[in-house]
């Protein structure tokens, strides 16, 4: 990429961190910037597939708990409306209302399936946050039916939040290959470890599928050669 275009559209501060990491070698900095994109790209399939699996698992548990396939709509006046959620501005209810409004504006029929598929990862993680977890009688822990007995809601919620923050970095083209000003992919590898742990705790049979689409080691090895 032309230097002037890079500075104009990617910004000097964004590029400067890569430059520092390689001792002000512009050629290596550009290569590292591109390698970071490829590493982010490698994570994308794992994270998106995990989101789908986690979302559908929570939906199944909630539908069983409320004995209602349309729970996500009907519970707007149920647990999502509980007074204890005032501090969170009724986050779940607000998310559902927002999707419904978007569907209506687009003249798309409102259905539970469409509302479920359009919710963010943060929406589903919220079911393991203490206020919502209590209101659904802790049912969401059953998503992770194969978890070790030593693992609890807090540990799982922490892993999910870490994955969400990493996902946001990937989606916003932020660097995922640094520790301070040094090239270091240990945080990225920790996210991958957590992804595999959570997938295995949901359904061990899904792990081979994830391994088949995992090219993260290759991209990290390529990066470390820069």
């Amino acid at each position: 990429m032309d230097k002037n275009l890079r500075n104009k559209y990617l910004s000097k501060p964004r590029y400067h961190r890569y430059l520092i990491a390689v001792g002000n070698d512009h050629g290596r900095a550009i290569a590292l910037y591109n390698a970071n994109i490829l590493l982010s790209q490698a994570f994308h399939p794992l994270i998106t597939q995990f989101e789908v699996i986690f979302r559908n698992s929570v939906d199944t548990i909630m539908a069983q708990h409320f004995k209602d396939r349309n729970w996500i709509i009907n519970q707007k006046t149920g647990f999502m409306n509980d007074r204890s959620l005032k501090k969170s501005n009724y986050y779940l209810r607000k998310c559902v209302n927002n999707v419904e409004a978007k569907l209506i504006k687009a003249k798309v029929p409102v259905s539970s399936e469409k509302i479920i598929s359009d919710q963010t990862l943060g929406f589903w993680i919220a079911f393991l946050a203490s206020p919502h977890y209590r209101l659904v009688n802790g049912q969401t822990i059953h998503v992770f039916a194969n978890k070790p007995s030593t693992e609890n809601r807090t540990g799982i919620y922490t892993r999910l939040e870490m994955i969400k923050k990493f996902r946001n970095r990937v989606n916003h083209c932020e660097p995922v290959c640094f520790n301070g000003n040094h090239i270091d992919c240990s945080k990225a590898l920790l996210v991958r470890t957590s992804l595999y742990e959570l997938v295995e705790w949901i359904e061990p049979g899904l792990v081979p599928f994830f391994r088949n689409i995992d090219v993260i080691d290759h991209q990290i090895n390529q990066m470390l050669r820069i």
Side-chain angles (χ1 to χ4, degrees):
M1 183 186 293
D2 177 81
K3 179 180 178 181
N4 292 328
L5 292 177
R6 183 184 68 232
N7 290 340
K8 180 178 180 180
Y9 292 105
L10 297 183
S11 81
K12 286 185 179 181
R14 175 184 290 271
Y15 174 68
H16 190 62
R17 189 171 184 187
Y18 294 88
L19 197 58
I20 292 174
V22 293
N24 292 313
D25 183 321
H26 283 278
R28 291 179 66 204
I30 292 168
L32 182 58
Y33 187 91
N34 292 341
N36 184 77
I37 293 172
L38 293 175
L39 180 56
S40 296
Q41 184 182 51
F43 266 97
H44 195 261
L46 298 182
I47 293 173
T48 55
Q49 292 306 302
F50 172 75
E51 283 192 53
V52 172
I53 291 164
F54 178 54
R55 174 194 74 198
N56 291 342
S57 298
V58 175
D59 172 44
T60 297
I61 292 294
M62 290 299 101
Q64 293 172 352
H65 175 61
F66 293 112
K67 298 180 174 59
D68 180 9
R69 281 302 315 161
N70 294 313
W71 67 270
I72 199 165
I73 293 175
N74 296 331
Q75 285 301 314
K76 287 194 303 176
T77 55
F79 86 93
M80 294 183 196
N81 198 43
D82 192 271
R83 288 183 179 181
S84 65
L85 301 178
K86 186 176 181 180
K87 288 184 179 179
S88 67
N89 197 24
Y90 300 97
Y91 172 72
L92 296 182
R93 188 184 69 187
K94 185 177 180 180
C95 289
V96 175
N97 284 336
N98 287 344
V99 172
E100 287 183 342
K102 185 173 74 172
L103 292 172
I104 291 169
K105 184 177 181 179
K107 297 182 180 179
V108 175
V110 174
S111 68
S112 293
E113 290 76 14
K114 290 187 182 297
I115 294 171
I116 287 167
S117 65
D118 211 35
Q119 294 300 336
T120 65
L121 178 59
F123 177 88
W124 301 108
I125 291 175
F127 281 84
L128 280 141
S130 183
H132 303 118
Y133 187 79
R134 176 181 58 80
L135 291 170
V136 298
N137 298 326
Q139 290 299 305
T140 35
I141 199 69
H142 299 307
V143 166
F144 304 95
N146 300 288
K147 72 174 183 63
S149 59
T150 52
E151 292 293 336
N152 57 20
R153 178 201 68 82
T154 303
I156 292 172
Y157 180 77
T158 299
R159 285 177 173 82
L160 289 167
E161 279 290 306
M162 178 178 64
I163 291 168
K164 183 183 75 171
K165 290 176 182 177
F166 187 85
R167 172 192 182 276
N168 291 342
R169 294 191 66 80
V170 166
N171 286 352
H172 291 95
C173 300
E174 295 293 332
V176 295
C177 60
F178 291 131
N179 181 3
N181 290 321
H182 302 287
I183 301 171
D184 184 341
C185 297
S186 57
K187 289 183 180 178
L189 289 172
L190 181 60
V191 169
R192 184 179 65 171
T193 297
S194 291
L195 277 167
Y196 274 104
E197 286 175 340
L198 294 175
V199 168
E200 185 172 14
W201 298 348
I202 293 172
E203 172 50 68
L206 292 169
V207 173
F209 165 69
F210 276 77
R211 296 204 183 282
N212 284 336
I213 61 173
D214 184 351
V215 295
I216 290 169
D217 283 338
H218 172 73
Q219 296 302 341
I220 289 178
N221 289 335
Q222 293 292 102
M223 177 181 289
L224 296 178
R225 293 192 182 101
I226 294 171

